[in-house]
Amino acid sequence: MPQVRVDWQLDGNGVVQQATLRQRAIGGDGTWPLTVQLVVVDAAGGRTTLVVRSDAERTPLAELVGRAGPAAVLVNPDDVAYGQFVPDAVTQRHLLRTLPDERDPLLRATATAALFEAVREAELDPAAFADLVLRLLAREADPDTHGVLLDLLGTTMLRYLPDARSQPLLERATELLLQQLRAEADSGRELGTFRFLCRASTDERVLALCHAVILDRELPRGTAAGAGSTAVP
């Protein structure tokens, strides 16, 4: 599988002098034939879409040369190409700031996945990524996407961060998810949210919900286990 990145260099006036799509094989040698979409975001928020074809370690991006330095370059936002797509530091900062406001759900999903790859490559602070995921969770209505975000949050907080750094994030997550359980019944997200809280949090309110399961007491709507199922893993 190729790892794919875009980098560029600016002159003293902030104009792109050189831009390159780079790829390297993960765990092997050689290159992969790629057809990959790039979305170039300028400082005003405008977007230009490019399609790049490459079967080389370095492919020049002449379309970027002579333009003002981009605010971000999103690689494979349509989720068609095969590879690990790691965003550069400039793009990371842009996405951390703006992604919760992105209206395109596919772009939001692919950009979130790319940022997680940067975390896995030790190029992005897991706490910064977890903060973003919490802001995304606060707005996400789709149950499947909400569940994916919970998985990413759990991995980042519980595996990649020491307790001292994860605890404030876990407290924020607990408040947010308990509020969603109370206020957003029948959203389709309830059981996944409940399971995440039971795995991750020792907050007294969460423990009270776990006790309610054991004692077969009333639970928030949508969180009760059906026949033959287990609400708390």
Side-chain angles (χ1 to χ4, degrees):
M1 180 172 71
Q3 182 186 89
V4 183
R5 301 169 181 263
V6 169
D7 56 36
W8 63 89
Q9 292 77 45
L10 306 179
D11 65 17
N13 296 315
V15 175
V16 177
Q17 287 185 312
Q18 182 178 356
T20 308
L21 179 88
R22 296 188 290 117
Q23 64 159 302
R24 69 172 183 85
I26 298 175
D29 299 318
T31 60
W32 290 68
L34 289 173
T35 300
V36 62
Q37 186 183 92
L38 309 182
V39 170
V40 183
V41 184
D42 64 34
R47 298 180 179 183
T48 302
T49 299
L50 309 175
V51 176
V52 180
R53 293 174 175 83
S54 171
D55 193 1
E57 291 183 0
R58 303 177 66 86
T59 301
L61 301 174
E63 297 91 339
L64 298 186
V65 176
R67 298 172 47 168
V73 178
L74 311 178
V75 185
N76 196 38
D78 54 350
D79 198 28
V80 171
Y82 174 69
Q84 180 196 38
F85 302 95
V86 183
D88 63 275
V90 172
T91 299
Q92 290 175 28
R93 290 192 292 270
H94 175 82
L95 293 174
L96 289 172
R97 186 177 68 254
T98 65
L99 197 54
D101 295 321
E102 173 58 49
R103 294 184 178 182
D104 183 340
L106 178 58
L107 191 151
R108 207 165 54 238
T110 54
T112 302
L115 287 171
F116 186 63
E117 294 300 334
V119 173
R120 288 162 56 93
E121 291 293 310
E123 297 177 12
L124 176 61
D125 182 358
F129 180 74
D131 171 80
L132 171 66
V133 173
L134 285 168
R135 288 182 284 129
L136 291 169
L137 281 166
R139 301 188 181 193
E140 186 55 62
D142 178 71
D144 291 336
T145 305
H146 194 271
V148 170
L149 291 171
L150 287 177
D151 288 342
L152 294 174
L153 181 65
T155 298
T156 305
M157 289 194 313
L158 304 178
R159 293 179 56 191
Y160 295 168
L161 288 170
D163 291 346
R165 298 194 69 206
S166 66
Q167 188 58 36
L169 294 162
L170 182 54
E171 291 172 0
R172 282 177 57 194
T174 300
E175 292 297 332
L176 170 65
L177 297 174
L178 284 174
Q179 191 277 332
Q180 289 182 341
L181 278 181
R182 290 192 299 266
E184 301 175 28
D186 300 322
S187 67
R189 300 167 300 180
E190 299 91 347
L191 192 54
T193 297
F194 185 33
R195 287 172 168 165
F196 176 88
L197 285 169
C198 292
R199 286 195 302 267
S201 178
T202 57
D203 184 281
E204 290 185 359
R205 294 164 294 176
V206 175
L207 295 179
L209 291 173
C210 294
H211 291 158
V213 173
I214 295 169
L215 299 174
D216 198 23
R217 292 177 177 170
E218 184 177 359
L219 292 165
R221 200 161 72 188
T223 61
S229 67
T230 304
V232 184

